[in-house]
Amino acid sequence: MLQYIARRLLYMVPTLLIISVIAFAIIELPPGDYLTAYMANLAQTGTQASEDAIAALKRQYGLDKPVYLRYVHWVWRLLHGDMGMSFEWNRPVAELIWERLILTFVVSLFTTLFIWAVAFPIGIYSAVRQYSVGDYIFTGLSFIGLGIPNFLLALVLLWFAFSRWGVALTGLFSPQYMDAPWSMAKVLDMMKRIWIPVVILGTSGTAGLIRTMRANLLDELRKPYVITARAKGLPEMRLLFKYPVRIAINPFISTVGWTLPGLVSGATIVSVVLSLPLNGPLLLNALLNQDMYLAGSFIMLLSSLTVIGTLVSDILLAWVDPRIRYT
Amino acid sequence: MEGLRLDRREFLKYAGIATSTLLASACAAGTPAPTAAPPTAAPTEAAATPAAPAETPAAPAKYKEPPALAELVKAGKLPPVEERLPKEPLVLDVVEEIGQYGGNWRRVWLGPSDAYGMYRIVGETLLKWSPDSTKVIPNVAKSWEVNEDATEFTLHLREGMRWSDGHPFTADDFMFWYEDIQLNEELTPVKFSRMMLGDEFGKMEKIDDYTVKISFSRSYGLFEMQMASEFVCYAPKHYLQQFHPKYADKDKLEAAIKEAGVETWNQLFANKNSWLNNKELPVLHPWITNGEPTATLWVCERNPYYWKVDPQGNQLPYIDRVTHELLQDRQLVTLKAIAGEIDMQYRHMQVKDIPLYMENREKGDYRVLMWPNTLGSEFVLMFNQNWDKDPVVAQFLRSKEFRRALSVAINREEISKVAYLGLAVPRQSTLIPESPGYNPDWEKAWTEYDPDKANQMLDELGLTEKDSDGFRLRPDKQGPLTIIISAVGIGEAHELVKTYWEAVGIKTILDNQERSVHYEKMAANELQVATWGNEEMIYPLFLVYPWWVMPYGTASRIAPLSGLWYASGGKQGVKPEGDLLRVIELYEEAKATPDEQKRFEVAMEMMRLNAENLWTIGTVVTREWPVIVKNKFRNVPEKHLLGTVNLAPGNANPPTWFFKQA
């Protein structure tokens, strides 16, 4: 097992290196750079910069160096834990991401818990009571959940809340708590609002997992060992949870890894629509504005977390499912 | 137009609709108004908006302060109000009544890149535009003199005026800005353009602690207006010198650079010199940042040393604090407004949402004011006179007759109905009716929809043969004559123009460009026809912001290379010819002359050349934009000209706005 983990860790090094190249390349792809946009703004505000001035600014931002040098510089700093400065926000990238991290984490965690709490029992129920009225209802609902885009649901909810109660349900706090220090009251206030993004973000995830759970469990339930166990008189509930469910749960575990980057980035579009102070919109803006270091470091962080998450998933799977071990 | 910055994301996202609406609101976010008329009586009728209580009332004898500050004084934490105010504080008149202290002004924004909206409220310029935007009035400087040939400008400061940390504000702060910031090549590669006359940067001298002189080697008559237009030429020396290698201890500076996580001292200096991010930076603003602008709620608190009072001697501002809630999406601004969760704001309000604003007025307990703007036309088509990729097309882009034909081919009434709820009026992009020198003939020229006439004019240009699709063939018969319209976001108006032009046989391609691509191509002279909105179409503000009426820089889409030629003092770019060169010469004349009457005449000639040549085809404009104001939020003028240069609504005196308590 230890050897397995060590090998996997070793694989991560080249993977991350390749990712860093790709991440950097993606940011360099669009024409122009942060300065193009910046100079354009300067021009619009009545300042026409001379060629000399542009060159000076390029030097100041380090944009005059060839691409590979900038890449090396960036990776070197990254290795030292320095994610660079955001051009647009004029602050260290790490600070920007960090200050939004807690809320992003909370929302994502709640969402994941919500998804599991709902999808798990419903998936089992649907499989065990296949083609029952309940199964049809849940199946119908989950198809709707899969079919409606999250942001649309968010918009509809916002409008509903406004027309019903006359409030704009944006953000995670009501105005009086927004700039208040953390307190019990503030947490309670957040709880009042957090269900909106959680439910919205949860719908499609829930729907997806219900379908997966149902399909996997159905496969297992038809296998001979289940029939054998039942024939031997094992109580139905015990039988269900001891074997088929344990195997059907594999997809949950293998996706645990993917929730890790999700915990950091949050759901971008829904965050934009609901104006949640999470990391997703930050990344979106960085990409739009070619805020190179913010975007690059962010993508790098997410990729690293995906890789780490996948490793965690694999280890968990190996632990839960003996069939996978040591391959 | 700085507004644009914030709006980058909007452009990309909603780019669709009428570029100009967005643009409009963006800029609108701050748009100004009109006329500056220095001491000599302007040759004009007064401009724009009503309101505008005029001259400064006499300073009251005794001063009063907000209760919260009075307590601090009592506790010995703050000197008494008499010591905090200058000997001659600036007295601001109120629009409705003397206000009451207190309250929290709630606004919304799209994040730090949108900070310009707040700057337009708090920014304190050297001089400023009067509330009606007709003339230049004192602000930071209490008075000024200009010598006869407009080469020397002497400024008198307010004795006893203080920075927000209580440190005296003197001529040294001007000299620090001049010598150590502007003249430091490393720190400021691009000099402050308003103090540039051609390639000459103005010279600043300290006469005594409260007198500063700025001089030029040639006449710069326009400089008086420049000093009122986003002109800030001072910085808190006592604070910033610790980050400047000329003054700072080398080791300490190195340590500070390390600690801040930046690489060079100029980056550190720039960070520390940010009114937005740095709470410690002493400022002259009525409200000072007191939180992280990156947080959900950005808070600004009152400046206890603010140097303005009302006519009864109450220290301003009335309102305790201003908060901005961070929204990720512009559409949410509308939702916030109609839910009554915004106290006063016009930035990001949109014309197309007016029905929604109106419908929810009572429920949200707010009123909707309509403020005029300076847009000549919200959606204009600028024909690149420098375009040279294809000589045949270039020849037509440069043809006055061709442009006129395409102008009458446009159905402006229909554009208004389809893209602007019918609220926009057809007009060329020329001086707005409020402007001195407004000429209805320029406004109406070539705006009458007449496809027959357009066809006839195009025939006369020799474009008589058509291909099988009905498009007119190029004179060299190499396929149809094709015009490419480039825009950041293609909207309904673009689509309509395409159908109108194709209806008269001119093949039209719409090129939707991402913003940076647009600017790259603009600088590389690769745009044939670009669309945008034209603002500041009012005398004399357009002289301070001449991007749209002459080649002023590469952002002047009518001739980017000639713009570069002008901006670089003839060193780079392409020298323009004919009327395009004439308009530059006229501008130089208007800029230099100390004679107000002369300047007006020259400026009008510039406008006439624009109307005559139609380098820019105007379509329609929405003359007024919505402003949301809570009913208890008072002293806000009914009408106020939204311009860029006049720093509106800053020149409507936000420190005098207040919450009326029952």
Side-chain angles (χ1 to χ4, degrees):
Chain A
M1 186 76 175
L2 269 183
Q3 202 195 348
Y4 169 76
I5 293 174
R7 202 168 57 224
R8 292 298 311 264
L9 280 174
L10 214 62
Y11 287 162
M12 276 170 67
V13 176
T15 314
L16 285 175
L17 208 63
I18 293 169
I19 289 173
S20 76
V21 174
I22 295 174
F24 199 79
I26 290 173
I27 297 156
E28 289 286 325
L29 272 185
D33 48 38
Y34 179 73
L35 268 191
T36 319
Y38 177 74
M39 296 317 296
N41 290 320
L42 258 191
Q44 293 295 351
T45 55
T47 304
Q48 179 71 33
S50 68
E51 295 297 317
D52 301 345
I54 294 174
L57 276 170
K58 273 199 189 285
R59 262 199 310 283
Q60 192 170 329
Y61 283 103
L63 291 171
D64 57 332
K65 298 188 191 109
V67 176
Y68 68 91
L69 267 186
R70 271 185 280 156
Y71 169 76
V72 170
H73 185 63
W74 175 63
V75 169
W76 183 250
R77 290 179 58 161
L78 214 53
L79 286 175
H80 291 77
D82 179 357
M83 300 170 82
M85 290 282 287
S86 157
F87 292 149
E88 192 187 0
W89 301 64
N90 216 348
R91 291 185 58 200
V93 169
E95 255 179 52
L96 283 173
I97 296 179
W98 186 249
E99 75 188 8
R100 287 155 179 251
L101 194 62
I102 298 174
L103 284 178
T104 310
F105 196 80
V106 168
V107 170
S108 301
L109 195 69
F110 271 78
T111 309
T112 310
L113 291 179
F114 171 81
I115 290 175
W116 286 15
V118 176
F120 197 63
I122 292 181
I124 295 175
Y125 173 86
S126 288
V128 176
R129 300 266 182 276
Q130 197 188 7
Y131 303 136
S132 67
V133 179
D135 179 30
Y136 279 126
I137 290 174
F138 286 129
T139 304
L141 282 178
S142 57
F143 277 132
I144 291 174
L146 271 176
I148 298 178
N150 284 340
F151 70 90
L152 185 69
L153 202 59
L155 283 175
V156 170
L157 259 174
L158 274 186
W159 179 252
F160 180 78
F162 171 70
S163 59
R164 200 64 198 272
W165 304 301
V167 289
L169 269 188
T170 56
L172 281 176
F173 306 98
S174 34
Q176 68 265 36
Y177 288 110
M178 253 176 232
D179 65 329
W182 282 101
S183 64
M184 211 45 220
K186 187 171 178 175
V187 173
L188 285 177
D189 181 63
M190 185 177 81
M191 289 304 153
K192 272 189 220 153
R193 287 184 177 227
I194 204 171
W195 61 271
I196 301 173
V198 165
V199 169
I200 291 169
L201 291 173
T203 17
S204 67
T206 307
L209 266 187
I210 288 177
R211 302 304 302 160
T212 321
M213 186 71 199
R214 180 176 181 273
N216 279 347
L217 196 54
L218 279 177
D219 283 347
E220 289 301 318
L221 286 176
R222 291 188 190 124
K223 289 196 174 154
Y225 75 87
V226 177
I227 297 166
T228 313
R230 196 172 285 138
K232 291 207 167 190
L234 208 62
E236 193 63 16
M237 281 315 252
R238 176 121 190 264
L239 160 69
L240 190 64
F241 283 97
K242 180 104 185 166
Y243 301 105
V245 167
R246 198 171 140 199
I247 290 170
I249 212 169
N250 276 3
F252 284 70
I253 294 168
S254 55
T255 54
V256 162
W258 305 343
T259 56
L260 207 54
L263 287 179
V264 175
S265 76
T268 305
I269 301 182
V270 171
S271 303
V272 168
V273 171
L274 289 176
S275 234
L276 306 178
L278 311 185
N279 271 327
L282 188 69
L283 174 61
L284 180 68
N285 261 328
L287 289 172
L288 288 179
N289 296 336
Q290 292 185 265
D291 193 343
M292 199 172 85
Y293 292 115
L294 180 54
S297 304
F298 211 130
I299 290 178
M300 198 58 220
L301 180 69
L302 292 185
S303 312
S304 314
L305 285 173
T306 311
V307 174
I308 294 169
T310 312
L311 176 71
V312 171
S313 289
D314 287 351
I315 295 171
L316 275 178
L317 271 183
W319 175 60
V320 169
D321 189 343
R323 295 172 304 176
I324 295 173
R325 214 163 289 170
Y326 314 128
T327 45
Chain B
M1 204 85 181
E2 352 255 74
L4 281 181
R5 169 122 213 243
L6 15 134
D7 251 64
R8 208 177 304 154
R9 69 183 92 182
E10 290 307 318
F11 267 107
L12 294 171
K13 248 189 285 175
Y14 301 111
I17 297 232
T19 325
S20 16
T21 315
L22 292 180
L23 180 70
S25 342
C27 316
T31 339
T35 312
T40 16
T44 75
E45 341 102 85
T49 45
E55 291 314 301
T56 328
K62 197 159 173 352
Y63 301 118
K64 280 158 277 175
E65 62 194 328
L69 294 187
E71 270 172 41
L72 286 176
V73 173
K74 228 183 243 168
K77 285 181 186 150
L78 205 63
V81 63
E82 288 76 16
E83 288 172 31
R84 300 201 306 268
L85 286 167
K87 276 190 183 158
E88 300 165 73
L90 181 59
V91 182
L92 296 183
D93 213 339
V94 294
V95 175
E96 290 170 344
E97 57 187 305
I98 297 294
Q100 293 152 302
Y101 283 119
N104 175 13
W105 176 1
R106 294 169 300 166
R107 295 169 53 86
V108 294
W109 70 336
L110 304 175
S113 57
D114 195 8
Y116 189 62
M118 180 59 172
Y119 184 74
R120 299 193 67 87
I121 291 171
V122 298
E124 293 295 355
T125 49
L126 182 57
L127 307 177
K128 71 191 281 185
W129 290 93
S130 61
D132 61 357
S133 300
T134 56
K135 59 179 188 292
V136 176
I137 58 172
N139 195 46
V140 168
K142 69 176 178 187
S143 62
W144 70 98
E145 289 128 31
V146 187
N147 70 351
E148 205 153 291
D149 55 356
T151 54
E152 289 184 7
F153 301 81
T154 310
L155 301 153
H156 302 283
L157 311 183
R158 297 170 195 278
E159 205 178 326
M161 182 165 152
R162 288 164 194 280
W163 290 101
S164 55
D165 62 352
H167 197 276
F169 171 81
T170 67
D172 290 336
D173 297 312
F174 282 68
M175 295 315 293
F176 179 72
W177 174 86
Y178 179 69
E179 288 173 352
D180 300 321
I181 298 183
Q182 288 296 318
L183 295 189
N184 187 310
E185 291 295 330
E186 214 177 330
L187 192 56
T188 318
V190 190
K191 302 248 169 305
F192 187 46
S193 69
R194 297 196 185 279
M195 220 162 109
M196 300 284 291
L197 180 60
D199 53 3
E200 177 193 349
F201 190 56
K203 190 169 145 217
M204 186 188 276
E205 292 159 274
K206 171 180 171 178
I207 306 295
D208 61 44
D209 272 358
Y210 299 103
T211 315
V212 170
K213 191 169 86 180
I214 300 175
S215 52
F216 300 87
S217 64
R218 294 175 281 144
S219 293
Y220 190 178
L222 204 63
F223 189 59
E224 203 166 23
M225 289 180 209
Q226 299 281 20
M227 287 192 290
S229 307
E230 305 180 307
F231 197 96
V232 174
C233 59
Y234 26 84
K237 179 178 181 179
H238 67 282
Y239 172 77
L240 285 174
Q241 62 183 4
Q242 57 177 313
F243 307 111
H244 197 295
K246 183 171 157 192
Y247 303 92
D249 176 73
K250 203 166 168 244
D251 297 334
K252 268 195 198 156
L253 190 58
E254 283 298 321
I257 290 170
K258 262 232 164 80
E259 196 196 320
V262 293
E263 285 170 29
T264 58
W265 74 269
N266 48 6
Q267 284 172 358
L268 176 72
F269 192 91
N271 289 356
K272 294 294 178 185
N273 194 17
S274 160
W275 65 274
L276 174 66
N277 290 310
N278 184 6
K279 289 182 230 182
E280 289 164 10
L281 180 77
V283 290
L284 300 174
H285 302 168
W287 293 280
I288 324 161
T289 177
N290 187 30
E292 277 303 338
T294 50
T296 315
L297 198 70
W298 174 45
V299 181
C300 292
E301 303 275 358
R302 78 162 62 247
N303 170 2
Y305 290 92
Y306 195 58
W307 39 282
K308 297 182 185 176
V309 298
D310 73 9
Q312 292 188 4
N314 295 300
Q315 190 190 18
L316 296 171
Y318 291 131
I319 293 173
D320 284 338
R321 43 181 232 159
V322 183
T323 56
H324 282 80
E325 187 181 344
L326 178 66
L327 298 182
Q328 309 286 358
D329 186 283
R330 188 195 204 130
Q331 300 304 319
L332 292 173
V333 177
T334 304
L335 184 65
K336 283 283 183 188
I338 59 181
E341 293 175 21
I342 293 175
D343 290 318
M344 189 279 171
Q345 183 161 341
Y346 72 90
R347 195 176 180 82
H348 305 308
M349 301 299 161
Q350 301 177 74
V351 170
K352 69 180 169 66
D353 287 337
I354 290 177
L356 262 180
Y357 300 144
M358 291 301 184
E359 195 182 309
N360 291 286
R361 263 182 306 181
E362 280 181 27
K363 203 164 142 195
D365 192 26
Y366 59 84
R367 58 193 192 274
V368 182
L369 304 180
M370 295 300 291
W371 282 5
N373 60 56
T374 58
L375 280 174
S377 182
E378 264 186 84
F379 177 75
V380 300
L381 299 135
M382 290 173 278
F383 285 67
N384 183 354
Q385 303 300 296
N386 288 142
W387 204 70
D388 54 6
K389 301 284 181 292
D390 179 337
V392 178
V393 177
Q395 166 205 335
F396 285 101
L397 292 178
R398 283 192 211 120
S399 157
K400 186 163 45 178
E401 287 303 311
F402 183 70
R403 296 190 294 266
R404 288 175 174 173
L406 291 185
S407 180
V408 294
I410 296 172
N411 185 346
R412 292 173 171 77
E413 294 288 349
E414 193 173 74
I415 291 181
S416 170
K417 276 187 200 129
V418 173
Y420 298 93
L421 300 173
L423 293 171
V425 291
R427 75 191 308 273
Q428 290 293 359
S429 182
T430 181
L431 295 173
I432 59 175
E434 288 87 346
S435 174
Y438 161 72
N439 186 333
D441 293 340
W442 297 345
E443 181 180 21
K444 293 290 161 228
W446 312 103
T447 56
E448 199 64 43
Y449 176 52
D450 193 343
D452 295 339
K453 191 166 167 191
N455 273 317
Q456 187 199 332
M457 291 168 81
L458 292 170
D459 287 345
E460 283 165 13
L461 284 167
L463 294 165
T464 43
E465 284 183 58
K466 296 189 177 177
D467 69 6
S468 53
D469 295 326
F471 293 130
R472 292 168 192 273
L473 286 174
R474 299 156 57 114
D476 60 4
K477 309 287 180 268
Q478 306 288 313
L481 179 66
T482 308
I483 300 293
I484 303 170
I485 301 179
S486 304
V488 179
I490 297 291
E492 287 149 326
H494 295 84
E495 303 285 357
L496 286 171
V497 167
K498 178 179 155 86
T499 57
Y500 301 144
W501 287 2
E502 298 204 327
V504 295
I506 300 297
K507 184 163 185 190
T508 309
I509 293 174
L510 298 179
D511 178 15
N512 194 4
Q513 297 173 332
E514 190 274 331
R515 190 183 153 93
S516 336
V517 176
H518 182 78
Y519 277 98
E520 287 252 304
K521 292 204 165 186
M522 180 185 78
N525 194 35
E526 284 174 13
L527 306 180
Q528 284 188 8
V529 177
T531 64
W532 211 258
N534 276 12
E535 48 180 357
E536 246 43 12
M537 286 295 152
I538 183 163
Y539 180 84
L541 292 196
F542 81 78
L543 288 177
V544 195
Y545 194 90
W547 294 92
W548 310 120
V549 295
M550 63 177 281
Y552 189 67
T554 47
S556 298
R557 322 283 205 285
I558 57 170
L561 294 185
S562 298
L564 181 60
W565 179 83
Y566 173 77
S568 65
K571 280 183 231 131
Q572 298 159 6
V574 172
K575 185 177 177 183
E577 293 164 359
D579 282 352
L580 218 44
L581 180 62
R582 179 80 190 120
V583 85
I584 290 181
E585 290 165 356
L586 288 168
Y587 181 66
E588 286 301 287
E589 209 176 328
K591 203 172 166 186
T593 183
D595 179 350
E596 182 61 26
Q597 182 63 34
K598 177 88 195 284
R599 178 178 306 129
F600 177 73
E601 282 162 14
V602 172
M604 288 309 118
E605 178 63 9
M606 283 177 76
M607 275 301 183
R608 192 192 65 76
L609 286 180
N610 268 276
E612 161 88 18
N613 282 288
L614 217 61
W615 295 304
T616 297
I617 296 180
T619 59
V620 298
V621 72
T622 315
R623 291 287 298 118
E624 294 186 325
W625 285 325
V627 185
I628 302 295
V629 192
K630 287 291 258 189
N631 286 325
K632 60 179 187 202
F633 195 96
R634 307 312 307 186
N635 274 349
V636 180
E638 281 296 312
K639 294 281 176 194
H640 187 77
L641 190 64
L642 293 172
T644 296
V645 177
N646 66 353
L647 212 64
N651 66 336
N653 295 329
T656 66
W657 298 349
F658 75 105
F659 288 97
K660 190 161 179 127
Q661 292 133 32

